[in-house]
Amino acid sequence: MTNKIPRRDLLKMGLAGAGALVLSAGGIWHYQKPTLANRLLEEFPTNIHGAKEVKKYEIKGANKTLVHVRQAHINEGITSDQRDYVAKVQGDIYQILAFLNIHKKISEVYVEGLTENHEGDSNPDLSFYNIKTGEIIDAPKLLEVEGTIRLIPAERYESHLRALSRNAITKDIFDARENIALDVISRNQNTLNVLVYGGLHWFGDNINEWNKQHPDRKYSLIEITPESYREKKWQIKK
């Protein structure tokens, strides 16, 4: 979702901290330990190869932590300079995911552009790696081919098709796709979930609303910005 709730303000929507004092029905204060999701968030590294910034948004009582790796990706008709920029960002993402695989045992990654019944429909003919130049265009795909990680769809076909056929920056398109990603991820058993998704997407608003509607399936959030990433609005359609 677009930044209706600024990144800094998500912390006000249920900040957890290391633990909390909770008043029971009998009027007795007791210490409530942080959830597993928030322990994993607290332990999550902030110094990661390929990352410029790692931001953490810890929400009290969270059952899952979403790790959003912000990406730039190929669109139809981009210029050679834009392709060079995408390759730099994807090279950073390759380092980030490889680091998380080694140090946090992350072997599954949710990805933008893959749908539950049409995996790979977003760019079926796209070359994800140039063996001559070392240029990486799709870091998750390269890591999958190398056998390092398994890719999991974060989209549903109908909403992704609408995004491809319309101006993908519209608020309703952003909202629908982000909410679907949260719903898809909520259905697995993993506590820490890595998602590679466009850098102009902001999941804070969606998580705030999701947590209100699903108090038993709440998210905390980690946002990773690759070293080469810059906000460029041409990169959003995928």
Side-chain angles (χ1 to χ4, degrees):
M1 184 182 286
T2 50
N3 282 353
K4 184 166 62 177
I5 298 177
R7 283 169 165 78
R8 65 181 180 275
D9 289 344
L10 178 63
L11 293 172
K12 301 175 183 177
M13 306 298 176
L15 181 63
L21 286 174
V22 179
L23 185 64
S24 68
I28 300 174
W29 290 94
H30 65 275
Y31 178 77
Q32 185 179 71
K33 293 182 179 180
T35 62
L36 174 60
N38 285 334
R39 291 201 304 272
L40 293 174
L41 178 143
E42 184 178 352
E43 297 167 359
F44 196 85
T46 55
N47 185 13
I48 297 175
H49 296 308
K52 173 169 55 181
E53 187 173 41
V54 178
K55 291 185 177 181
K56 300 181 181 183
Y57 305 90
E58 185 177 354
I59 302 301
K60 180 180 176 181
N63 308 97
K64 288 183 178 292
T65 291
L66 175 67
V67 182
H68 173 203
V69 180
R70 305 173 74 194
Q71 76 161 340
H73 47 64
I74 285 290
N75 297 323
E76 292 182 7
I78 68 169
T79 67
S80 59
D81 287 344
Q82 291 169 344
R83 183 184 176 93
D84 290 344
Y85 163 73
V86 169
K88 289 179 181 178
V89 175
Q90 290 292 327
D92 293 337
I93 293 173
Y94 183 93
Q95 291 186 66
I96 292 167
L97 296 180
F99 179 96
L100 294 179
N101 173 259
I102 294 170
H103 296 281
K104 302 303 292 184
K105 309 302 181 186
I106 298 296
S107 59
E108 297 180 340
V109 174
Y110 286 87
V111 291
E112 178 180 18
L114 291 188
T115 63
E116 292 172 318
N117 298 318
H118 297 77
E119 296 191 21
D121 57 74
S122 58
N123 287 297
D125 299 319
L126 180 65
S127 174
F128 57 87
Y129 180 63
N130 187 324
I131 195 170
K132 293 182 179 179
T133 64
E135 178 188 69
I136 300 173
I137 293 301
D138 190 334
K141 182 63 177 178
L142 177 57
L143 285 162
E144 181 185 52
V145 170
E146 293 175 343
T148 302
I149 61 174
R150 183 172 74 92
L151 303 187
I152 307 177
E155 309 225 32
R156 296 198 178 107
Y157 182 68
E158 292 78 10
S159 61
H160 181 55
L161 192 63
R162 287 196 296 270
L164 292 176
S165 61
R166 296 174 54 188
N167 180 2
I169 200 171
T170 59
K171 182 178 181 296
D172 62 322
I173 291 292
F174 267 49
D175 284 353
R177 295 176 66 204
E178 292 155 0
N179 288 334
I180 285 171
L182 292 180
D183 182 62
V184 168
I185 294 170
S186 74
R187 298 173 186 274
N188 71 40
Q189 300 299 314
N190 297 331
T191 305
L192 188 70
N193 298 270
V194 176
L195 169 69
V196 177
Y197 220 87
L200 293 182
H201 291 268
W202 162 236
F203 283 86
D205 289 343
N206 307 77
I207 284 176
N208 183 43
E209 291 302 317
W210 173 275
N211 290 348
K212 290 177 182 177
Q213 297 175 23
H214 306 88
D216 59 335
R217 293 189 288 159
K218 292 165 68 174
Y219 281 96
S220 284
L221 174 65
I222 297 172
E223 187 181 64
I224 301 178
T225 301
E227 184 66 43
S228 302
Y229 181 83
R230 305 290 185 273
E231 292 196 356
K232 299 177 183 289
K233 292 189 177 181
W234 58 262
Q235 69 195 25
I236 61 171
K237 187 175 182 181
K238 183 165 183 179

